[in-house]
């Protein structure tokens, strides 16, 4: 629930800081808190932007048709490869779909270096092909007679033209490979696989949100949407074809299609989101200024940096780590002055710290940020700042779900929402805070948890990509695509 003035005053007092610190905290609590009323306003704009995106191309919320039609039966079977290029890691997964919503996976993970993220696209594709090659050898599948269908989870804005064709419109999340924008990521990867003579066919291009939705739907038939709350933030949901006014590709087999919303770009126009000066600073210094504004307030890539921006502002005002008139070497911590050095996972560790003297927080600040001898009051301040940023992110993520659900309507049996990503999985209280916001947004339902069921769709992109590859292969076999 939003803070009442009295609650807020007590919380500030409990920090035990100086009057100047108290004053500062009061201000940032106001800047980062979102009232129910504000959430409602954001939802309204979100729904309008959804409608706009469904009507025509080139809108802020792109609402991209995924070419994945209809719903799963739960009986899908077979062996598939899935490849997930999500942001932080590259994963190769061998998925065995066993039917009845059951599956088995074996996977391998590799880091994508900054050099690969910013170098030629061909190098990145060759690296991916090499990872697949090694994995197939490990699994004894390198000499397979028939081609393995691969579902390629490529989580960047792609305009799809078929289930395995599309063009990359822009990079996000710190990627900037040359020679990729305007090209088809499937063709680029397939060429790299051919160069290595690998028995693999890229049969589906999948956004991670679509994969998450499908993997959740494999055993939860009431699944309406899939969300990613990891490096980035985005969602997909099932839409009626008749609502996709911009659809021009002729009749479809099913009356429904999954839409990849690309909602990270929501409100790039800054009409509804309460951006603080810390958000503005982050945006200005990012590699994609003025874009992905919503994502920058929500996702794992950015939350730690927002916290760092607040802490640095406090340092500059001599409110933190350097009491006036004394020399404190902490101010010279190189790490606290370095962009992106405050990782979102630190916030998780700090928020879950329930020791009386905040020893865990102290430890994180010491070992990860080279800030030694931090006082308990300062630890409380850092914890409070993390809470403000983390809570705002959860409430905004919930508002996106509320927008989708309000757009589609809630059936009596309720809906399931599959969510993948380390932020949702590991950040303490993220889900609870999302439910709190949802309850505020749907006061007409006495227990919103029974109507909008948020669930971790772990490994969503792997299994989901395999399911998409399965659907695509079936469709191809019966010549319906
Ligand atoms: P991706 O989105 O690239 O597929 P993940 O879902 O693992 O990958 O998300 C990675 C993001 O999650 C990173 O931005 C990282 O900062 C954040 N993250 C990782 N661990 C945690 C954690 N324990 N708590 C909060 N955020 C985390
Ligand atoms: Mg992912």
């Amino acid at each position: 629930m939003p803070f009442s003035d009295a609650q807020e005053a007590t919380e500030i007092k409990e920090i035990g800081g100086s009057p100047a610190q108290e004053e500062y905290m009061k201000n940032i609590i106001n800047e980062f808190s979102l009232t129910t009323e504000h959430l409602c306003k954001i939802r309204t704009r979100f729904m309008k932007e959804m409608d706009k995106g469904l009507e025509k191309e080139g809108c802020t919320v792109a609402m991209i048709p995924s070419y994945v039609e209809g719903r799963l039966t739960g009986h899908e079977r077979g062996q598939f490869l899935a490849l997930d290029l999500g942001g932080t890691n590259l994963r190769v997964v061998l998925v065995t779909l066993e039917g009845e919503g059951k599956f088995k996976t074996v996977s391998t993970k590799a880091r994508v270096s900054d050099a690969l993220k910013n170098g030629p696209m061909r190098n990145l594709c060759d690296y991916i092909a090499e990872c697949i090659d090694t994995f197939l050898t490990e699994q004894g599948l390198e000499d397979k007679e028939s081609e393995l269908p691969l579902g390629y989870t490529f989580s960047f804005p792609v305009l799809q033209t078929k289930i395995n064709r599309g063009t990359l419109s822009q990079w996000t999340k710190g990627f900037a490979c040359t020679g990729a924008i305007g090209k088809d990521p499937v063709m680029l990867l397939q060429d790299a696989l051919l160069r290595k003579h690998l028995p693999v066919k890229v049969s589906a291009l999948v956004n991670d949100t679509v994969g998450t939705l499908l993997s959740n739907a494999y055993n939860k038939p009431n699944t309406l949407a899939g969300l990613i709350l990891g490096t980035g933030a985005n969602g997909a949901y099932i839409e009626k074809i008749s609502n996709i006014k911009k659809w021009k590709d002729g009749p479809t087999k099913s009356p429904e299609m999954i839409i990849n919303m690309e909602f990270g770009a929501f409100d790039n126009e800054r009409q509804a989101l309460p951006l603080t000066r810390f958000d503005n600073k982050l945006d200005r210094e990012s590699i994609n200024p003025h874009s992905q504004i919503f994502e920058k307030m929500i996702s794992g890539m950015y939350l730690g940096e927002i916290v760092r921006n607040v802490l640095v502002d406090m340092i500059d005002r001599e409110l933190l780590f350097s009491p006036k008139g004394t020399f404190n070497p902490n101010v010279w911590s190189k790490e606290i002055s370095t962009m992106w050095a405050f990782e979102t996972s630190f916030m998780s560790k700090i928020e879950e710290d329930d020791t009386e003297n905040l020893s865990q927080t102290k430890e994180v600040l010491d070992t990860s940020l080279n800030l030694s001898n931090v006082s308990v009051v300062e630890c409380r301040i850092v914890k409070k700042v993390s809470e403000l940023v983390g809570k705002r992110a959860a409430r905004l993520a919930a508002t996106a779900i509320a927008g989708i659900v309000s757009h589609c309507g809630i059936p009596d049996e309720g809906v399931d929402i599959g969510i993948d990503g380390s932020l949702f999985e590991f950040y303490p209280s993220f889900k609870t805070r999302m439910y709190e916001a949802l309850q505020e947004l749907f006061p007409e339902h006495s227990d919103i948890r029974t109507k909008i069921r948020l669930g971790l769709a772990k490994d969503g992109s792997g299994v989901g990509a395999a399911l998409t590859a399965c659907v695509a292969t079936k469709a191809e076999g019966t010549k319906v695509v």
Side-chain angles (χ1 to χ4, degrees):
M1 293 297 272
F3 285 100
S4 71
D5 285 351
Q7 231 179 333
E8 182 186 306
T10 319
E11 291 204 13
I12 293 174
K13 272 277 167 277
E14 276 168 6
I15 294 174
S18 67
Q21 285 172 326
E22 282 191 0
E23 185 60 25
Y24 190 92
M25 293 314 287
K26 190 171 172 219
N27 285 333
I28 62 161
I29 288 174
N30 285 335
E31 279 182 85
F32 281 97
S33 301
L34 282 164
T35 60
T36 307
E37 213 181 330
H38 206 145
L39 295 184
C40 291
K41 197 177 129 200
I42 297 169
R43 168 174 57 184
T44 305
R45 183 170 170 88
F46 192 89
M47 291 170 71
K48 281 198 187 123
E49 293 296 298
M50 283 176 74
D51 287 337
K52 269 196 219 162
L54 289 170
E55 208 170 301
K56 55 179 200 293
E57 303 291 349
C59 292
T60 307
V61 179
M63 305 295 279
I64 303 169
S66 67
Y67 290 78
V68 179
E69 291 178 36
R71 305 214 177 200
L72 298 175
T73 59
H75 303 308
E76 291 76 9
R77 288 169 193 276
Q79 204 173 40
F80 302 88
L81 269 183
L83 177 73
D84 181 3
L85 186 66
T88 314
N89 291 304
L90 170 76
R91 290 202 323 134
V92 186
V93 194
L94 179 68
V95 184
T96 312
L97 300 174
E98 298 174 327
E100 284 113 51
K102 296 204 187 73
F103 59 83
K104 285 207 179 85
T105 63
V106 198
S107 68
T108 179
K109 210 168 171 171
R111 244 193 120 71
V112 183
S113 68
D114 284 341
L116 284 171
K117 283 185 191 172
N118 294 289
M121 185 62 170
R122 188 185 164 110
N123 292 1
L124 179 64
C125 290
D126 282 338
Y127 175 72
I128 297 174
E130 206 175 294
C131 292
I132 294 177
D133 194 2
T134 312
F135 182 68
L136 289 181
T137 309
E138 279 166 15
Q139 299 303 319
L141 291 167
E142 74 276 26
D143 295 323
K144 213 170 171 296
E145 292 279 296
S146 58
E147 284 181 321
L148 259 176
L150 178 143
Y152 185 11
T153 304
F154 183 80
S155 307
F156 303 97
V158 167
L159 262 179
Q160 276 191 246
T161 47
K162 260 174 83 168
I163 202 154
N164 65 346
R165 284 285 171 273
T167 48
L168 174 65
S169 46
Q170 140 195 22
W171 284 116
T172 56
K173 299 184 286 187
F175 273 71
C177 292
T178 52
I181 292 178
K183 302 246 173 72
D184 184 346
V186 173
M187 304 268 259
L188 297 173
L189 178 63
Q190 190 69 65
D191 286 348
L193 294 169
L194 284 171
R195 285 196 285 277
K196 287 204 184 314
H197 309 288
L198 297 178
V200 175
K201 183 186 174 207
V202 187
S203 43
L205 180 60
V206 195
N207 187 269
D208 52 0
T209 55
V210 177
T212 300
L213 191 164
L214 286 179
S215 81
N216 205 71
Y218 195 37
N219 49 28
K220 289 181 188 150
N222 292 317
T223 300
L224 172 69
L227 252 74
I228 295 293
L229 298 171
T231 305
N234 187 18
Y237 73 106
I238 303 173
E239 181 59 283
K240 294 191 187 80
I241 304 272
S242 57
N243 283 344
I244 313 173
K245 302 279 187 299
K246 65 182 175 185
W247 180 256
K248 297 210 170 60
D249 270 6
T252 51
K253 267 193 314 163
S254 153
E256 293 174 322
M257 182 175 284
I258 299 177
I259 297 282
N260 161 25
M261 304 173 75
E262 289 298 335
F263 72 49
F266 167 63
D267 206 28
N268 279 347
E269 301 82 3
R270 299 161 178 256
Q271 295 297 304
L273 294 172
L275 290 142
T276 66
R277 62 187 189 281
F278 310 106
D279 299 295
N280 289 332
K281 182 168 185 291
L282 179 147
D283 179 44
R284 207 177 292 126
E285 292 170 350
S286 68
I287 64 164
N288 52 349
H290 306 296
S291 39
Q292 302 293 105
I293 293 293
F294 195 49
E295 175 169 81
K296 284 172 181 161
M297 298 175 90
I298 296 179
S299 73
M301 177 164 173
Y302 305 102
L303 299 188
E305 178 63 10
I306 303 173
V307 170
R308 195 190 67 86
N309 281 344
V310 177
L311 301 183
V312 167
D313 184 53
M314 291 189 80
I315 292 173
D316 287 348
R317 290 165 195 261
E318 301 190 358
L319 292 171
L320 205 62
F321 308 141
S322 172
K324 227 180 169 61
T326 60
F327 172 75
N328 186 335
N330 279 339
V331 202
W332 303 107
S333 149
K334 241 197 333 230
E335 288 75 4
I336 195 72
S337 301
T338 307
M339 272 194 89
W340 313 113
F342 198 113
E343 294 175 17
T344 303
S345 60
F346 303 168
M347 294 167 68
S348 285
K349 284 201 197 123
I350 291 168
E351 279 230 60
E352 77 196 6
D353 183 1
D354 54 9
T355 61
E356 204 178 325
N357 55 359
L358 298 185
S359 52
Q360 192 169 322
T361 303
K362 215 167 164 198
E363 163 97 26
V364 173
L365 295 175
D366 194 349
T367 54
S368 305
L369 291 156
N370 202 15
L371 293 161
S372 49
N373 297 319
V374 175
S375 71
V376 179
V377 168
E378 289 171 327
C379 285
R380 288 195 201 118
I381 290 176
V382 175
K383 189 170 188 208
K384 187 69 195 176
V385 173
S386 301
E387 181 196 309
L388 289 171
V389 174
K391 193 167 179 173
R392 186 185 68 165
R395 289 170 74 76
L396 289 173
T399 308
I401 294 177
I404 298 168
V405 172
S406 299
H407 171 92
C408 299
I410 308 183
D412 288 345
E413 63 276 19
V415 293
D416 288 287
I417 313 283
I419 309 180
D420 191 14
S422 294
L423 185 66
F424 181 74
E425 185 174 0
F426 300 119
Y427 200 110
S429 313
F430 209 87
K431 186 166 153 186
T432 311
R433 288 168 178 170
M434 286 176 78
Y435 272 131
E436 275 167 13
L438 284 172
Q439 189 63 65
E440 290 168 41
L441 284 155
F442 294 96
E444 65 277 25
H445 293 286
S446 58
D447 184 3
I448 201 63
R449 289 161 190 254
T450 61
K451 289 289 177 189
I452 305 176
R453 297 173 292 266
L454 310 180
L456 178 67
K458 203 168 154 48
D459 199 20
S461 35
V463 181
L467 282 161
T468 318
C470 178
V471 172
T473 313
K474 259 202 239 162
E476 208 177 48
T478 53
K479 299 217 185 323
V480 281
V481 156

